[in-house]
Amino acid sequence: MTGSARGVGCGEPRIRDFSDQCTGWLRVSSEDGQAAEVQAGWSLIEGWRITPSDHLAAAARVQDFDPITGTHIQCSLDDLAAQVAANRSALAATGP
């Protein structure tokens, strides 16, 4: 998470699943800029309509976010950002 994703309020959802008929998203929000709330959910935007390298454009079109029951978590925004950075590094280490 960088830039506006670390601000206060509700940010754009982040994609987590590309399926034929829908997409899975993580919605991250913070009321105080310190604690994060993460909620998984679905959108009827089809995965085949999204270019992974341009997923932020698709995120702006998610108007039908449907939360998945039991997937809401709260954590420190700093801890969440550190975990995202660690996951990115681990993925980059696997190579192209």
Side-chain angles (χ1 to χ4, degrees):
M1 282 192 206
T2 59
S4 63
R6 292 200 36 93
V8 176
C10 186
E12 292 179 342
R14 302 296 187 235
I15 197 155
R16 66 171 188 85
D17 181 31
F18 293 89
S19 297
D20 286 346
Q21 297 179 347
C22 61
T23 44
W25 298 84
L26 293 176
R27 182 174 57 193
V28 178
S29 61
S30 177
E31 294 296 322
D32 62 5
Q34 295 182 16
E37 294 185 28
V38 183
Q39 174 71 57
W42 296 102
S43 170
L44 292 178
I45 297 173
E46 298 97 339
W48 58 269
R49 291 184 179 261
I50 298 173
T51 304
S53 62
D54 193 27
H55 70 278
L56 292 178
R61 296 193 323 261
V62 175
Q63 301 296 317
D64 62 341
F65 183 83
D66 183 19
I68 300 170
T69 303
T71 63
H72 181 262
I73 63 167
Q74 294 180 329
C75 61
S76 156
L77 193 56
D78 287 337
D79 289 347
L80 179 61
Q83 189 60 54
V84 169
N87 288 346
R88 284 182 177 167
S89 295
L91 181 60
T94 64

